Amino acid sequence: MTRTSRDDVVAAAGRLFAERGYHGTSMRDLGKELGLLGSSLYSHVDGKQQLLVEVVNRGAGFFQQSADAALATQGSASDRLWALVDGHVGVVLDHRSEVRTYLNQAEALHDEFRASVIAARDRYEEAFRTVLKDGAADGSFRSDVDPPITAIFILSILNAVDRWYHEDGRIDRDALVSDIFDFTADGIS
Amino acid sequence: MTRTSRDDVVAAAGRLFAERGYHGTSMRDLGKELGLLGSSLYSHVDGKQQLLVEVVNRGAGFFQQSADAALATQGSASDRLWALVDGHVGVVLDHRSEVRTYLNQAEALHDEFRASVIAARDRYEEAFRTVLKDGAADGSFRSDVDPPITAIFILSILNAVDRWYHEDGRIDRDALVSDIFDFTADGIS
DNA sequence: CCTACCGATCGGTAGG
DNA sequence: CCTACCGATCGGTAGG
């Protein structure tokens, strides 16, 4: 056991916030997770709310990085949509705590920070809307696709992944991405 | 102002649990919502956890009623899927507090109750799996549809509705149901 | 449904 | 990072 870093504290906060919720986690719980007292955390961070802000910002950052990379992908709109789906699944599975906290605990943020999360989500969603609009225009997708609502449907599927998917189940990560993409592209008919 | 009924207390608890979360709501908050003191609530209910159980059970009940009715629908598997989607959207929009609490606050339930919620969710999901299997067998849907995973995708879209949909927006309730059904049936290609 | 209260726990601080 | 603590708030109870 070496000494606890600030990063360790934020990571542990992410885990507990994801599991028990922000209000369900006390600073003493968090201290225990790290093998120290609740009061000792204040030499690493200013307070509990700051920890939530930091975890949520990490979550938002992972998603935005993924979207930026996906939009830079060469190829058709369909290829870029695949990259968005693949990237989103990767973020969810590689950063579960931060993602869960980002998706479910943002309501515990103070007003200013919550507003910036809403803005970040909209910016991320915009990547999906853009790809859908491009694909509807160039014939990759049906011309009557409604980008805003379709983006919401796709993101609903993607954001729910962390609620049910287990890496050791019957479908691996690539199959999951394929299944989501195929469902989105072709539906069940 | 007439006197407060037990139902009023459960309904108010649903609203606050949905908005602020179980751990973010105190009995004093709940009393204030009803115009009385926190301690006065104990003449109506045994405790805070019991209130959560009751709200969650109401949410579960609405969904199961809807599924039972949808499965009894005459017609094709496709008609029954429509009925499931339509019923789910109705439950979400008519009982937002209970639904939000059911979907997002079940983790705050004590073990035994949380287990029964998981069982209720599985039972409800089974209705979707059944319809998908029937439809894949009789040609209503593609024969290679994977019922368990497809049920999850459809429910992911349905459960997210309460996170973004506003009844006074550009699409009304029937259009929402159509959009979800069409996306599920045909995708975007 | 209120008054008056209980022990426990909360986020956080001073000082080392 | 701990000791020792602060005032505030928590879920809940006794008695009316």
Side-chain angles (χ1 to χ4, degrees):
Chain A
M1 277 303 228
T2 72
R3 63 189 278 283
T4 301
S5 72
R6 198 197 145 85
D7 250 43
D8 294 335
V9 178
V10 177
R15 289 197 300 275
L16 296 193
F17 292 164
E19 269 170 41
R20 314 177 191 175
Y22 179 73
H23 295 298
T25 302
S26 73
M27 291 300 273
R28 284 161 179 84
D29 290 337
L30 179 53
K32 203 169 294 171
E33 173 88 1
L34 291 159
L36 37 86
L37 296 177
S39 59
S40 301
L41 296 167
Y42 290 87
S43 55
H44 292 103
V45 290
D46 284 345
K48 191 184 175 187
Q49 174 79 199
Q50 191 196 54
L51 276 171
L52 178 59
V53 169
E54 217 145 324
V55 173
V56 161
N57 281 344
R58 289 190 190 192
F62 292 135
F63 280 126
Q64 197 54 50
Q65 271 181 42
S66 163
D68 291 343
L71 287 187
T73 300
Q74 303 297 333
S76 67
S78 187
D79 292 335
R80 282 196 296 284
L81 179 58
W82 178 284
L84 280 172
V85 170
D86 188 48
H88 194 107
V89 168
V91 169
V92 168
L93 299 184
D94 289 335
H95 306 283
R96 284 190 109 119
S97 305
E98 290 84 354
V99 165
R100 285 177 71 114
T101 303
Y102 175 63
L103 293 176
N104 303 319
Q105 301 301 317
E107 73 206 358
L109 286 168
H110 294 168
D111 288 349
E112 27 174 342
F113 299 117
R114 201 174 55 248
S116 94
V117 163
I118 292 169
R121 288 183 186 165
D122 185 62
R123 184 159 167 251
Y124 181 68
E125 220 169 291
E126 180 66 28
F128 285 74
R129 288 192 292 266
T130 298
V131 166
L132 289 166
K133 199 158 54 103
D134 292 350
D138 76 7
S140 303
F141 308 138
R142 291 223 312 271
S143 61
D144 66 341
V145 160
D146 181 331
I149 233 196
T150 305
I152 289 171
F153 290 165
I154 297 172
L155 279 162
S156 296
I157 294 172
L158 289 172
N159 285 333
V161 162
D162 111 284
R163 292 188 173 229
W164 64 272
Y165 181 74
H166 299 286
E167 202 108 33
D168 52 352
R170 57 184 255 261
I171 52 176
D172 65 19
R173 195 183 282 217
D174 288 341
L176 174 62
V177 172
S178 293
D179 284 351
I180 294 174
F181 187 85
D182 291 347
F183 179 79
T184 296
D186 302 322
I188 63 179
S189 292
Chain B
M1 278 304 227
T2 72
R3 62 189 278 285
T4 301
S5 72
R6 198 197 146 83
D7 251 42
D8 295 334
V9 178
V10 178
R15 290 197 299 277
L16 296 194
F17 292 164
E19 270 171 40
R20 313 176 192 176
Y22 179 73
H23 295 298
T25 302
S26 73
M27 292 300 273
R28 283 161 179 87
D29 290 338
L30 180 53
K32 203 168 294 171
E33 174 88 1
L34 292 159
L36 37 85
L37 296 177
S39 59
S40 301
L41 296 168
Y42 290 86
S43 56
H44 292 102
V45 290
D46 285 344
K48 191 184 175 187
Q49 176 78 199
Q50 191 196 55
L51 276 170
L52 179 59
V53 169
E54 216 145 321
V55 173
V56 160
N57 281 344
R58 289 191 188 191
F62 293 135
F63 280 125
Q64 197 54 51
Q65 271 181 43
S66 163
D68 291 344
L71 286 188
T73 301
Q74 303 296 333
S76 65
S78 185
D79 292 335
R80 282 197 294 286
L81 179 59
W82 178 285
L84 281 172
V85 170
D86 188 49
H88 194 106
V89 167
V91 169
V92 168
L93 299 184
D94 289 336
H95 306 284
R96 286 191 105 119
S97 305
E98 290 84 355
V99 165
R100 286 176 69 113
T101 303
Y102 175 63
L103 294 177
N104 303 318
Q105 302 301 317
E107 71 204 359
L109 286 168
H110 294 169
D111 288 349
E112 28 173 341
F113 300 118
R114 200 173 55 247
S116 96
V117 163
I118 292 169
R121 287 183 187 166
D122 185 61
R123 184 160 167 249
Y124 181 67
E125 221 169 290
E126 179 67 28
F128 285 74
R129 288 192 292 265
T130 298
V131 167
L132 288 167
K133 199 160 55 109
D134 292 350
D138 77 5
S140 303
F141 307 137
R142 291 224 312 270
S143 59
D144 65 340
V145 161
D146 181 330
I149 232 194
T150 305
I152 290 171
F153 291 164
I154 297 171
L155 279 163
S156 296
I157 293 172
L158 290 171
N159 285 334
V161 161
D162 112 285
R163 292 189 172 228
W164 63 272
Y165 181 74
H166 300 287
E167 202 108 33
D168 52 352
R170 56 183 256 261
I171 53 176
D172 66 20
R173 195 184 282 219
D174 288 341
L176 174 63
V177 172
S178 293
D179 284 351
I180 295 174
F181 187 85
D182 292 346
F183 178 79
T184 296
D186 302 320
I188 63 178
S189 293

mmCIF file of all heavy atoms in Angstrom, chain B residues 28 37-39, chain C residues 3-7, chain D residues 9-14:
data_model
loop_
_atom_site.group_PDB
_atom_site.id
_atom_site.type_symbol
_atom_site.label_atom_id
_atom_site.label_comp_id
_atom_site.label_asym_id
_atom_site.label_seq_id
_atom_site.Cartn_x
_atom_site.Cartn_y
_atom_site.Cartn_z
ATOM 1 N N ARG B 28 -38.488 14.835 6.665
ATOM 2 C CA ARG B 28 -38.894 16.224 6.892
ATOM 3 C C ARG B 28 -39.242 16.907 5.555
ATOM 4 O O ARG B 28 -40.183 17.699 5.478
ATOM 5 C CB ARG B 28 -37.790 16.972 7.636
ATOM 6 C CG ARG B 28 -37.734 16.633 9.143
ATOM 7 C CD ARG B 28 -36.373 17.013 9.727
ATOM 8 N NE ARG B 28 -36.258 16.729 11.165
ATOM 9 C CZ ARG B 28 -35.877 15.549 11.662
ATOM 10 N NH1 ARG B 28 -35.595 14.548 10.845
ATOM 11 N NH2 ARG B 28 -35.787 15.373 12.975
ATOM 12 N N LEU B 37 -45.309 18.044 9.657
ATOM 13 C CA LEU B 37 -43.961 17.750 10.132
ATOM 14 C C LEU B 37 -43.532 16.334 9.766
ATOM 15 O O LEU B 37 -44.367 15.446 9.578
ATOM 16 C CB LEU B 37 -43.896 17.918 11.653
ATOM 17 C CG LEU B 37 -44.150 19.343 12.158
ATOM 18 C CD1 LEU B 37 -44.129 19.364 13.684
ATOM 19 C CD2 LEU B 37 -43.111 20.305 11.602
ATOM 20 N N GLY B 38 -42.234 16.129 9.696
ATOM 21 C CA GLY B 38 -41.719 14.807 9.365
ATOM 22 C C GLY B 38 -42.219 13.747 10.326
ATOM 23 O O GLY B 38 -42.601 12.646 9.919
ATOM 24 N N SER B 39 -42.234 14.094 11.585
ATOM 25 C CA SER B 39 -42.639 13.104 12.593
ATOM 26 C C SER B 39 -44.104 12.708 12.460
ATOM 27 O O SER B 39 -44.496 11.618 12.861
ATOM 28 C CB SER B 39 -42.373 13.651 13.990
ATOM 29 O OG SER B 39 -43.085 14.854 14.200
ATOM 30 P P DT C 3 -46.098 22.157 17.424
ATOM 31 O OP1 DT C 3 -46.469 23.549 17.712
ATOM 32 O OP2 DT C 3 -45.116 21.847 16.359
ATOM 33 O "O5'" DT C 3 -45.596 21.467 18.770
ATOM 34 C "C5'" DT C 3 -46.491 21.361 19.874
ATOM 35 C "C4'" DT C 3 -45.789 20.681 21.037
ATOM 36 O "O4'" DT C 3 -45.731 19.251 20.803
ATOM 37 C "C3'" DT C 3 -44.343 21.141 21.241
ATOM 38 O "O3'" DT C 3 -44.138 21.363 22.634
ATOM 39 C "C2'" DT C 3 -43.500 19.974 20.721
ATOM 40 C "C1'" DT C 3 -44.407 18.782 20.991
ATOM 41 N N1 DT C 3 -44.265 17.620 20.074
ATOM 42 C C2 DT C 3 -44.175 16.347 20.606
ATOM 43 O O2 DT C 3 -44.196 16.117 21.800
ATOM 44 N N3 DT C 3 -44.079 15.349 19.675
ATOM 45 C C4 DT C 3 -44.066 15.483 18.301
ATOM 46 O O4 DT C 3 -43.985 14.500 17.560
ATOM 47 C C5 DT C 3 -44.146 16.835 17.812
ATOM 48 C C7 DT C 3 -44.126 17.092 16.333
ATOM 49 C C6 DT C 3 -44.246 17.836 18.710
ATOM 50 P P DA C 4 -42.789 22.097 23.172
ATOM 51 O OP1 DA C 4 -43.107 22.776 24.460
ATOM 52 O OP2 DA C 4 -42.206 22.862 22.046
ATOM 53 O "O5'" DA C 4 -41.857 20.842 23.481
ATOM 54 C "C5'" DA C 4 -42.354 19.762 24.267
ATOM 55 C "C4'" DA C 4 -41.375 18.613 24.182
ATOM 56 O "O4'" DA C 4 -41.617 17.830 22.985
ATOM 57 C "C3'" DA C 4 -39.903 19.052 24.120
ATOM 58 O "O3'" DA C 4 -39.203 18.444 25.187
ATOM 59 C "C2'" DA C 4 -39.440 18.577 22.750
ATOM 60 C "C1'" DA C 4 -40.363 17.388 22.506
ATOM 61 N N9 DA C 4 -40.491 16.992 21.104
ATOM 62 C C8 DA C 4 -40.576 17.801 20.004
ATOM 63 N N7 DA C 4 -40.678 17.164 18.863
ATOM 64 C C5 DA C 4 -40.656 15.822 19.236
ATOM 65 C C6 DA C 4 -40.725 14.629 18.495
ATOM 66 N N6 DA C 4 -40.838 14.593 17.168
ATOM 67 N N1 DA C 4 -40.683 13.474 19.185
ATOM 68 C C2 DA C 4 -40.578 13.512 20.521
ATOM 69 N N3 DA C 4 -40.506 14.570 21.334
ATOM 70 C C4 DA C 4 -40.543 15.705 20.616
ATOM 71 P P DC C 5 -37.659 18.924 25.530
ATOM 72 O OP1 DC C 5 -37.526 18.840 27.005
ATOM 73 O OP2 DC C 5 -37.324 20.147 24.799
ATOM 74 O "O5'" DC C 5 -36.828 17.717 24.908
ATOM 75 C "C5'" DC C 5 -37.224 16.413 25.295
ATOM 76 C "C4'" DC C 5 -36.922 15.386 24.244
ATOM 77 O "O4'" DC C 5 -37.482 15.680 22.955
ATOM 78 C "C3'" DC C 5 -35.461 15.165 23.881
ATOM 79 O "O3'" DC C 5 -34.851 14.391 24.919
ATOM 80 C "C2'" DC C 5 -35.583 14.353 22.587
ATOM 81 C "C1'" DC C 5 -37.008 14.631 22.114
ATOM 82 N N1 DC C 5 -37.125 15.008 20.679
ATOM 83 C C2 DC C 5 -37.312 13.988 19.739
ATOM 84 O O2 DC C 5 -37.371 12.817 20.133
ATOM 85 N N3 DC C 5 -37.424 14.305 18.426
ATOM 86 C C4 DC C 5 -37.363 15.583 18.040
ATOM 87 N N4 DC C 5 -37.485 15.849 16.742
ATOM 88 C C5 DC C 5 -37.171 16.645 18.980
ATOM 89 C C6 DC C 5 -37.059 16.311 20.284
ATOM 90 P P DC C 6 -33.292 14.105 24.969
ATOM 91 O OP1 DC C 6 -32.965 13.860 26.394
ATOM 92 O OP2 DC C 6 -32.636 15.196 24.229
ATOM 93 O "O5'" DC C 6 -33.091 12.749 24.155
ATOM 94 C "C5'" DC C 6 -33.925 11.628 24.448
ATOM 95 C "C4'" DC C 6 -33.559 10.510 23.494
ATOM 96 O "O4'" DC C 6 -34.274 10.697 22.244
ATOM 97 C "C3'" DC C 6 -32.081 10.511 23.147
ATOM 98 O "O3'" DC C 6 -31.413 9.548 23.944
ATOM 99 C "C2'" DC C 6 -32.040 10.137 21.667
ATOM 100 C "C1'" DC C 6 -33.441 10.351 21.151
ATOM 101 N N1 DC C 6 -33.567 11.437 20.124
ATOM 102 C C2 DC C 6 -33.763 11.068 18.793
ATOM 103 O O2 DC C 6 -33.800 9.872 18.500
ATOM 104 N N3 DC C 6 -33.900 12.047 17.858
ATOM 105 C C4 DC C 6 -33.848 13.328 18.234
ATOM 106 N N4 DC C 6 -33.995 14.255 17.282
ATOM 107 C C5 DC C 6 -33.650 13.713 19.593
ATOM 108 C C6 DC C 6 -33.514 12.743 20.500
ATOM 109 P P DG C 7 -29.835 9.530 24.089
ATOM 110 O OP1 DG C 7 -29.534 8.726 25.288
ATOM 111 O OP2 DG C 7 -29.332 10.914 23.949
ATOM 112 O "O5'" DG C 7 -29.370 8.722 22.801
ATOM 113 C "C5'" DG C 7 -29.840 7.401 22.582
ATOM 114 C "C4'" DG C 7 -29.417 6.963 21.202
ATOM 115 O "O4'" DG C 7 -29.965 7.866 20.210
ATOM 116 C "C3'" DG C 7 -27.899 6.983 20.984
ATOM 117 O "O3'" DG C 7 -27.588 5.869 20.163
ATOM 118 C "C2'" DG C 7 -27.656 8.317 20.291
ATOM 119 C "C1'" DG C 7 -28.922 8.448 19.438
ATOM 120 N N9 DG C 7 -29.302 9.827 19.118
ATOM 121 C C8 DG C 7 -29.252 10.924 19.939
ATOM 122 N N7 DG C 7 -29.678 12.025 19.361
ATOM 123 C C5 DG C 7 -30.020 11.625 18.084
ATOM 124 C C6 DG C 7 -30.542 12.390 17.001
ATOM 125 O O6 DG C 7 -30.811 13.587 16.951
ATOM 126 N N1 DG C 7 -30.756 11.579 15.878
ATOM 127 C C2 DG C 7 -30.498 10.238 15.817
ATOM 128 N N2 DG C 7 -30.757 9.643 14.655
ATOM 129 N N3 DG C 7 -30.008 9.520 16.812
ATOM 130 C C4 DG C 7 -29.799 10.279 17.914
ATOM 131 P P DT D 9 -29.770 22.185 9.010
ATOM 132 O OP1 DT D 9 -29.895 22.761 7.653
ATOM 133 O OP2 DT D 9 -30.595 22.644 10.160
ATOM 134 O "O5'" DT D 9 -29.987 20.615 8.861
ATOM 135 C "C5'" DT D 9 -29.135 19.864 8.002
ATOM 136 C "C4'" DT D 9 -29.348 18.407 8.299
ATOM 137 O "O4'" DT D 9 -28.867 18.105 9.620
ATOM 138 C "C3'" DT D 9 -30.830 17.979 8.302
ATOM 139 O "O3'" DT D 9 -31.020 17.141 7.174
ATOM 140 C "C2'" DT D 9 -31.012 17.235 9.621
ATOM 141 C "C1'" DT D 9 -29.571 16.974 10.049
ATOM 142 N N1 DT D 9 -29.365 16.855 11.523
ATOM 143 C C2 DT D 9 -28.916 15.661 12.031
ATOM 144 O O2 DT D 9 -28.693 14.676 11.347
ATOM 145 N N3 DT D 9 -28.734 15.639 13.397
ATOM 146 C C4 DT D 9 -28.955 16.689 14.275
ATOM 147 O O4 DT D 9 -28.752 16.551 15.480
ATOM 148 C C5 DT D 9 -29.434 17.914 13.678
ATOM 149 C C7 DT D 9 -29.705 19.107 14.538
ATOM 150 C C6 DT D 9 -29.608 17.937 12.343
ATOM 151 P P DC D 10 -32.448 16.471 6.824
ATOM 152 O OP1 DC D 10 -32.541 16.403 5.354
ATOM 153 O OP2 DC D 10 -33.495 17.145 7.624
ATOM 154 O "O5'" DC D 10 -32.276 14.991 7.384
ATOM 155 C "C5'" DC D 10 -31.234 14.174 6.830
ATOM 156 C "C4'" DC D 10 -31.111 12.900 7.635
ATOM 157 O "O4'" DC D 10 -30.564 13.202 8.926
ATOM 158 C "C3'" DC D 10 -32.432 12.214 7.938
ATOM 159 O "O3'" DC D 10 -32.785 11.377 6.864
ATOM 160 C "C2'" DC D 10 -32.083 11.397 9.178
ATOM 161 C "C1'" DC D 10 -30.997 12.226 9.855
ATOM 162 N N1 DC D 10 -31.394 12.953 11.096
ATOM 163 C C2 DC D 10 -31.236 12.337 12.327
ATOM 164 O O2 DC D 10 -30.828 11.172 12.364
ATOM 165 N N3 DC D 10 -31.541 13.019 13.459
ATOM 166 C C4 DC D 10 -31.978 14.278 13.364
ATOM 167 N N4 DC D 10 -32.244 14.933 14.506
ATOM 168 C C5 DC D 10 -32.154 14.925 12.108
ATOM 169 C C6 DC D 10 -31.860 14.230 11.003
ATOM 170 P P DG D 11 -34.330 10.946 6.681
ATOM 171 O OP1 DG D 11 -34.451 10.407 5.304
ATOM 172 O OP2 DG D 11 -35.211 12.035 7.146
ATOM 173 O "O5'" DG D 11 -34.474 9.759 7.741
ATOM 174 C "C5'" DG D 11 -33.731 8.560 7.570
ATOM 175 C "C4'" DG D 11 -34.048 7.620 8.708
ATOM 176 O "O4'" DG D 11 -33.734 8.286 9.953
ATOM 177 C "C3'" DG D 11 -35.527 7.233 8.806
ATOM 178 O "O3'" DG D 11 -35.612 5.861 9.217
ATOM 179 C "C2'" DG D 11 -36.073 8.189 9.860
ATOM 180 C "C1'" DG D 11 -34.864 8.372 10.785
ATOM 181 N N9 DG D 11 -34.862 9.676 11.450
ATOM 182 C C8 DG D 11 -35.110 10.892 10.879
ATOM 183 N N7 DG D 11 -35.061 11.893 11.721
ATOM 184 C C5 DG D 11 -34.759 11.298 12.940
ATOM 185 C C6 DG D 11 -34.593 11.878 14.224
ATOM 186 O O6 DG D 11 -34.673 13.071 14.561
ATOM 187 N N1 DG D 11 -34.304 10.904 15.192
ATOM 188 C C2 DG D 11 -34.178 9.562 14.937
ATOM 189 N N2 DG D 11 -33.887 8.784 15.996
ATOM 190 N N3 DG D 11 -34.336 9.008 13.733
ATOM 191 C C4 DG D 11 -34.627 9.929 12.786
ATOM 192 P P DG D 12 -37.048 5.144 9.416
ATOM 193 O OP1 DG D 12 -36.841 3.691 9.334
ATOM 194 O OP2 DG D 12 -38.036 5.807 8.557
ATOM 195 O "O5'" DG D 12 -37.383 5.509 10.943
ATOM 196 C "C5'" DG D 12 -36.485 5.041 11.950
ATOM 197 C "C4'" DG D 12 -36.922 5.581 13.291
ATOM 198 O "O4'" DG D 12 -36.744 7.014 13.346
ATOM 199 C "C3'" DG D 12 -38.388 5.334 13.645
ATOM 200 O "O3'" DG D 12 -38.435 4.390 14.711
ATOM 201 C "C2'" DG D 12 -38.922 6.690 14.067
ATOM 202 C "C1'" DG D 12 -37.644 7.499 14.307
ATOM 203 N N9 DG D 12 -37.822 8.941 14.143
ATOM 204 C C8 DG D 12 -38.127 9.630 12.988
ATOM 205 N N7 DG D 12 -38.228 10.928 13.167
ATOM 206 C C5 DG D 12 -37.979 11.103 14.525
ATOM 207 C C6 DG D 12 -37.957 12.289 15.303
ATOM 208 O O6 DG D 12 -38.160 13.453 14.939
ATOM 209 N N1 DG D 12 -37.670 12.022 16.631
ATOM 210 C C2 DG D 12 -37.430 10.770 17.145
ATOM 211 N N2 DG D 12 -37.171 10.712 18.458
ATOM 212 N N3 DG D 12 -37.436 9.649 16.437
ATOM 213 C C4 DG D 12 -37.722 9.888 15.135
ATOM 214 P P DT D 13 -39.797 3.843 15.319
ATOM 215 O OP1 DT D 13 -39.538 2.436 15.635
ATOM 216 O OP2 DT D 13 -40.940 4.258 14.474
ATOM 217 O "O5'" DT D 13 -39.893 4.658 16.687
ATOM 218 C "C5'" DT D 13 -38.780 4.632 17.584
ATOM 219 C "C4'" DT D 13 -39.164 5.350 18.853
ATOM 220 O "O4'" DT D 13 -39.156 6.789 18.618
ATOM 221 C "C3'" DT D 13 -40.566 5.014 19.387
ATOM 222 O "O3'" DT D 13 -40.439 4.752 20.774
ATOM 223 C "C2'" DT D 13 -41.393 6.275 19.100
ATOM 224 C "C1'" DT D 13 -40.330 7.369 19.155
ATOM 225 N N1 DT D 13 -40.595 8.585 18.341
ATOM 226 C C2 DT D 13 -40.504 9.811 18.944
ATOM 227 O O2 DT D 13 -40.231 9.960 20.122
ATOM 228 N N3 DT D 13 -40.744 10.881 18.116
ATOM 229 C C4 DT D 13 -41.044 10.836 16.769
ATOM 230 O O4 DT D 13 -41.238 11.860 16.123
ATOM 231 C C5 DT D 13 -41.138 9.517 16.200
ATOM 232 C C7 DT D 13 -41.472 9.349 14.746
ATOM 233 C C6 DT D 13 -40.904 8.459 17.004
ATOM 234 P P DA D 14 -41.693 4.124 21.604
ATOM 235 O OP1 DA D 14 -41.162 2.968 22.382
ATOM 236 O OP2 DA D 14 -42.831 3.935 20.688
ATOM 237 O "O5'" DA D 14 -42.071 5.294 22.616
ATOM 238 C "C5'" DA D 14 -41.024 6.085 23.192
ATOM 239 C "C4'" DA D 14 -41.627 7.095 24.138
ATOM 240 O "O4'" DA D 14 -41.867 8.344 23.440
ATOM 241 C "C3'" DA D 14 -42.969 6.684 24.753
ATOM 242 O "O3'" DA D 14 -43.011 7.210 26.081
ATOM 243 C "C2'" DA D 14 -43.988 7.342 23.822
ATOM 244 C "C1'" DA D 14 -43.269 8.629 23.411
ATOM 245 N N9 DA D 14 -43.568 9.107 22.068
ATOM 246 C C8 DA D 14 -43.799 8.359 20.934
ATOM 247 N N7 DA D 14 -44.005 9.078 19.856
ATOM 248 C C5 DA D 14 -43.874 10.375 20.313
ATOM 249 C C6 DA D 14 -43.986 11.621 19.646
ATOM 250 N N6 DA D 14 -44.238 11.738 18.337
ATOM 251 N N1 DA D 14 -43.813 12.748 20.386
ATOM 252 C C2 DA D 14 -43.553 12.612 21.697
ATOM 253 N N3 DA D 14 -43.433 11.501 22.430
ATOM 254 C C4 DA D 14 -43.610 10.414 21.661
#
